Amino acid sequence: MAALVVRQWLMPVEGKDAVIFPPTYPIAEDKAGYNIDYFEDDKTNVCQIDSVGSQANRMEPLFKREKYRHLVPQVVIRAGDRKIDLLDAGHRAADAIVRFSTLGPELHEAFLAYRDEGNAEPLARIAPTSIVFGSWDSRATQARLPRIVRSVIRAYNVRPLTRSAQYSTIAGEILDAGDVQTTTKGPKAELGLAHVPAVRTHGGVLVDGEIRREAIVNLTSLRSLAGRSEEETLTLRRYILGLALIGFTAPLEPCLREGCELVPDPAKNAKWEEVRYDGTRVGLSIGHDEALAYATAAAASFGARDPVEASFDADLAMQVLNLKEDDRKKLLRQGPVTAEALSQLQARGAAASRKGRNAKDVE
């Protein structure tokens, strides 16, 4: 079997003909817009409603909830008065909050085990969702783990709208005795002491076609995971599959953002399928409760790890930040980023500098 897939048709909570608001992206220096791809007829288009990365970031925090927290290690990194859950880190196990923490060396070695030996077991012990939703240790080991679970939401054949608004200032009226300036720039606009218009900004889209979520569990990528033995490999794959099924079958959170609340379309049932290597498709019947039961059993076999608390080293991060670019890259690639590794790098640099000066004096 190559993959498990689902197509789920969605609609706005207000009704099918309601306006929804896609995410905005910077499309020019001072302008934001929607990600809409137009085809040759200038009518057919596809609009991104929720990206693959955004969908992953919505699914991963599920494992902080009481219902699911027993399935993965609960890892918290202290940074002063703050506590950052690893499940919230933007780049997962490859995030800077991890690299410059007391957990950094362990995760560095885990990435190396995957890169050099294909052994994903050490990473699964501390950050299994970095396997499920993918990660790339681009700044250090270059280890790249493809997503096991991928999901995206798109709308088809949309018509973009615009909207206008006017901010009216009471404080400005008082200060200027009623003669208030209308402007979008300058100190008065910045301080809310002017009337500030917003004219014909992005105003959502009307969807003439359909809104569809498409998700996949990539079983080919899952089979590429290995441990140190056949038994360990099987236990690891079952564990990761269980976590993947949780994200795959979890009910969709309706509120994607302000103005974009989507629910399943009751007129069109979701289509769940197994896809085989020859392209054959077979109907799939799996509920979220079944997925949770499987994931719980697989996690118990894999072995739970106690909660982990690490500390972020802000001083170390600042020292690395202040290195020259070549030294910075050298430090990140040579091994875990620690105070000792930094001291050794600086000592070698100082010795090379002295050697260079001595050679110049001889000349």
Side-chain angles (χ1 to χ4, degrees):
M1 194 182 304
L4 308 178
V5 299
V6 61
R7 280 190 168 185
Q8 183 179 25
W9 286 266
L10 307 172
M11 61 181 289
V13 292
E14 301 93 334
K16 282 192 175 182
D17 57 351
V19 174
I20 62 170
F21 283 77
T24 55
Y25 302 94
I27 58 175
E29 187 174 335
D30 59 349
K31 187 178 180 182
Y34 302 136
N35 189 88
I36 304 176
D37 294 307
Y38 291 89
F39 295 93
E40 291 180 359
D41 60 8
D42 251 355
K43 295 179 181 178
T44 309
N45 61 54
V46 180
C47 177
Q48 182 170 275
I49 301 300
D50 216 37
S51 68
V52 172
S54 181
Q55 281 280 285
N57 290 340
R58 297 183 195 283
M59 288 186 279
E60 192 169 13
L62 282 173
F63 296 100
K64 294 194 296 182
R65 297 181 184 178
E66 190 62 36
K67 187 176 181 179
Y68 309 106
R69 59 186 296 113
H70 66 285
L71 298 173
V72 303
Q74 298 299 310
V75 179
V76 172
I77 299 168
R78 280 187 172 275
D81 295 332
R82 294 185 61 187
K83 287 186 175 182
I84 296 91
D85 197 302
L86 181 57
L87 294 169
D88 293 324
H91 292 91
R92 303 186 177 89
D95 200 89
I97 197 69
V98 178
R99 181 172 297 105
F100 299 110
S101 78
T102 50
L103 194 59
E106 180 178 349
L107 280 169
H108 185 91
E109 294 303 321
F111 276 124
L112 282 181
Y114 177 79
R115 187 197 72 183
D116 297 341
E117 306 164 22
N119 182 7
E121 193 268 347
L123 187 59
R125 289 289 173 196
I126 188 67
T129 57
S130 292
I131 301 174
V132 175
F133 300 108
S135 56
W136 180 25
D137 190 26
S138 62
R139 293 169 177 84
T141 65
Q142 301 296 304
R144 186 195 292 263
L145 290 99
R147 299 179 192 274
I148 305 295
V149 174
R150 185 176 73 251
S151 177
V152 65
I153 300 175
R154 299 183 179 97
Y156 296 83
N157 297 334
V158 304
R159 287 179 285 160
L161 305 176
T162 59
R163 61 177 173 174
S164 299
Q166 171 79 39
Y167 167 76
S168 299
T169 173
I170 296 174
E173 290 178 353
I174 295 171
L175 291 179
D176 293 335
D179 187 18
V180 182
Q181 183 181 6
T182 299
T183 182
T184 59
K185 297 180 180 179
K188 286 189 175 181
E190 292 173 9
L191 295 172
L193 298 175
H195 294 323
V196 182
V199 181
R200 299 190 68 79
T201 62
H202 41 274
V205 298
L206 279 171
V207 182
D208 292 331
E210 59 188 23
I211 305 171
R212 195 168 72 218
R213 173 183 177 243
E214 295 171 329
I216 176 175
V217 175
N218 189 332
L219 299 178
T220 302
S221 293
L222 179 68
R223 290 192 189 93
S224 71
L225 302 177
R228 290 165 297 189
S229 65
E230 289 187 10
E231 182 181 359
E232 190 176 90
T233 294
L234 181 60
T235 303
L236 168 69
R237 290 177 182 173
R238 286 174 173 170
Y239 175 52
I240 298 301
L241 175 60
L243 301 183
L245 290 175
I246 293 294
F248 185 60
T249 62
L252 180 73
E253 291 290 337
C255 188
L256 300 183
R257 66 192 62 84
E258 177 68 26
C260 191
E261 294 184 69
L262 303 177
V263 293
D265 184 345
K268 199 164 188 179
N269 293 330
K271 191 175 183 180
W272 301 77
E273 294 178 314
E274 301 173 6
V275 182
R276 297 173 179 168
Y277 282 108
D278 64 0
T280 305
R281 293 175 178 268
V282 180
L284 173 67
S285 177
I286 180 171
H288 189 60
D289 289 341
E290 293 174 273
L292 179 57
Y294 178 85
T296 298
S301 295
F302 186 70
R305 178 167 177 167
D306 292 334
V308 177
E309 188 168 291
S311 300
F312 177 71
D313 191 336
D315 183 59
L316 176 62
M318 287 302 299
Q319 289 184 63
V320 175
L321 181 63
N322 291 327
L323 290 174
K324 293 179 180 178
E325 182 179 357
D326 288 346
D327 288 339
R328 221 172 26 242
K329 289 181 177 179
K330 190 181 298 183
L331 178 68
L332 290 168
R333 301 291 169 82
Q334 71 182 12
V337 179
T338 62
E340 292 75 16
L342 178 60
S343 295
Q344 291 171 8
L345 177 71
Q346 291 170 330
R348 288 196 297 270
S353 180
R354 286 196 300 272
K355 185 177 180 180
R357 287 197 302 270
N358 292 338
K360 190 173 182 180
D361 290 342
V362 169
E363 291 177 0

